[in-house]
Amino acid sequence: MASYDVFKPLFTNQFIGGEWTASSSPNRIAVENPATLEKFAEIPDGTVEDIDRAVDAAYEALPAWRATPLEKRRALMQRFLEHFKAMRQAIIDLEAAELGAPIAFGANAHCDYQFVRIQSYIDEVEKVVFEESFEHSTVIREPVGVVGCITPWNYPIGQIVQKVIPALLTGNTVVLKPSQSTPLTACIMMEAFRLADFPKGIVNLVSGRGSRAGAELALNPKVAMISFTGSTAVGVSLSQQALKTVKRISLELGGKSPCVWLPDLPDYRPAIKPLFNSIFLNSGQTCTALSRLIVPKARLTEVEKLLLDHVKDYPVGDPFDPKVLIGPMASRQQFETVKSYIELGVKEGARLLAGSIPEEPGAHEKGWFIQPTIFTNVKNDMRIAREEIFGPVLCVIAYDTVDEAVAIANDTPYGLNAMVVGPKAEAQAVARRINAGNVYINDAPRDVTAPFGGYGASGIGREGGRYGLMEFTQLKAVFDHSTY
Ligand code: NAD
């Protein structure tokens, strides 16, 4: 018996108004295990009526929730977190089954780190200044209203946490439409809200396709804000729809993030693990993946040897095998996309240093597996260097001068993430010249309270910590220095 079997009856329902309820349509969407190709669960193919019912529930619940004192909201969220933590094994196993996330990586990135993030929001919301005295006025931070959250498949819980938790803590109500390809952990999250006795209608889940359920969230006039994470193309078209009713829009989109290795660092070995973890773990299906490695031309041969030596440390295979670091791609569609980019790289004249054109499932293994792939001799104007591949594919680009390295790093429509590796002071100086919302220096860890988000085509708005909480608020100025 799988750890998540007890939750299976939830998967085929919507969570609306505090209850598990049938969709208005009997149609279902199958959920495939990308390692075995077994269709192991089904979700409703959510309808416009489902979304409208969920939005009505959230709209009705809004006045009471926004009037609920912050301390009460925080206490409820803490209770939710305890219930959610009790579901830990089910979360890990479900992410292995629906996404193909290897269990060791999944336990950390898809589960425990998300608990840390939730706790951080509960703590940080106390530091948000909800009321401020100005010279002749009081400025008040208020909730935006009903928030429609639309999330992608690559970090199923993580992307939901970044939206639903801060939205609720700041007094908004929520309708969530998760990705139809990894929708299951969202269901058990809703069950944790139910068990924590969240008031009915505060948080609602509609499973279904983006083109129908997602699109209706953007159109429904009672929705005040759309918080979207996904591809740049969908984000842009969704925003155009949402602007018809002048909704607040927050977008977390794609990336093509650079990792610059500076010439003066004597030993690049410590830089390999953070780079490979970023581009290979989660099968490279990470928006912040460092997909362009920018290195001094004079040290290219040394770099190629290092990369080749260490790529063996990233075994691919069955996500339930604890030794495996890389599982399958999340779906056939993602497999085909990444495969076509590897074929394109060869056609464009890049040299395959590691990996090969992936074989279709059945040749050796059943699932959508792709070996970690490294292209060298890449020019930044090649499509493999410009477009988001969203797979375990690294492009190595050589430069002559540090100015050229910075120019290559910034020569992208995106600006989500970057890393600069080198002597600390030099790396800090280069970091300030990079156009990205996040820049890591050497082996620096992430700070969960720092803002996360992109420049340029990588998005609008910030998630995480106080800035992420404030994203779900709007400002009211009250001119209260009256004479009577
Ligand atoms: P996607 O844009 O295809 O889908 C994202 C969500 O939008 C899904 O829930 C989908 O059902 C929904 N959707 C699709 N079409 C829609 C429409 N017409 N109207 C409304 N909703 C619609 O993205 P994906 O393939 O699920 O995710 C991968 C993308 O997400 C990558 O580009 C990645 O970089 C990006 N991403 C960004 C971040 C970030 O924080 N910046 C994080 C994770 C993923």
Side-chain angles (χ1 to χ4, degrees), residues 55 70 125 189 195 260 262 309 353 376 389 409:
V55 171
L70 179 60
V125 73
M189 190 177 189
L195 292 170
V260 179
L262 295 175
D309 284 350
L353 181 72
T376 185
I389 297 175

Side-chain angles (χ1 to χ4, degrees), residues 150-155 159 177-180 208-211 214-215 228-232 234-235 237-238 252-255 286-287 334 388 390 416 452 458 463:
I150 302 178
T151 54
W153 46 262
N154 62 332
Y155 285 82
Q159 306 305 341
K177 206 299 284 172
S179 168
Q180 62 273 33
R209 292 173 208 280
S211 53
F228 172 85
T229 299
S231 60
T232 299
V234 171
S237 74
L238 181 74
E252 294 290 345
L253 308 174
T286 302
C287 54
Q334 202 53 29
E388 186 184 48
F390 225 52
L416 190 55
F452 172 84
S458 290
E463 294 185 334

